[in-house]
Amino acid sequence: MGTIISLNISRAKGVNKEPVDSIEVRVDHGMVGDAHAGNWHRQISLLAEESIDFMRNKGLELDPGAFAENITTEGLDLVSLPIGTRLSNGQVVLEVTQIGKKCHQGCAIFKQVGDCIMPREGIFTKVIVPGTLRRGDSLDVMP
């Protein structure tokens, strides 16, 4: 069982994501109000707080959303979830569509410490069942 510790959106591409307390998610779209939403396989990105802690241990001060993840979780080994895994808060259902991604050129974190975890440990999902996600919700792997 995991927990959503932060929900993060940006109104424009290329700017830092800001935390919100709750967010509506839609099928064939992703997070309402997020600049990266759209009808594609990478509607919502997730990264584990445990992964962010790894980078903090390299001396960086990082808040949830620093890696442009939409959802920061705690208690889920996200990178070990196979594609097709479904996650739910009891209402919304997300399906894992991709593990990791190619890092874009010029990542500020990579420039600082020569490493970035999002390409290895971030995951991407699409919305299967719409609804509302809230900070503090449980997020569980569905059987």
Side-chain angles (χ1 to χ4, degrees), residues 44-48 51 67 69 71 78-79 96 98-101 116-125:
I44 299 175
S45 59
L46 293 85
L47 186 64
S51 295
F67 291 92
E69 77 276 8
I71 301 174
L78 296 176
V79 73
V96 177
Q98 183 175 324
I99 310 293
K101 71 177 187 87
C116 181
I117 53 165
M118 191 65 183
R120 295 187 308 274
E121 299 186 22
I123 71 168
F124 297 87
T125 63

Side-chain angles (χ1 to χ4, degrees), residues 15-67:
V15 300
N16 288 339
K17 293 198 181 285
E18 299 294 328
V20 295
D21 289 329
S22 65
I23 195 81
E24 179 187 352
V25 298
R26 293 184 188 153
V27 174
D28 296 332
H29 181 76
M31 290 184 150
V32 174
D34 185 61
H36 294 91
N39 189 6
W40 66 321
H41 72 287
R42 289 181 12 190
Q43 294 171 3
I44 299 175
S45 59
L46 293 85
L47 186 64
E49 177 75 358
E50 294 85 352
S51 295
I52 297 170
D53 284 342
F54 175 80
M55 296 302 289
R56 287 181 181 126
N57 289 336
K58 292 184 175 223
L60 296 175
E61 290 186 30
L62 299 166
D63 293 322
F67 291 92

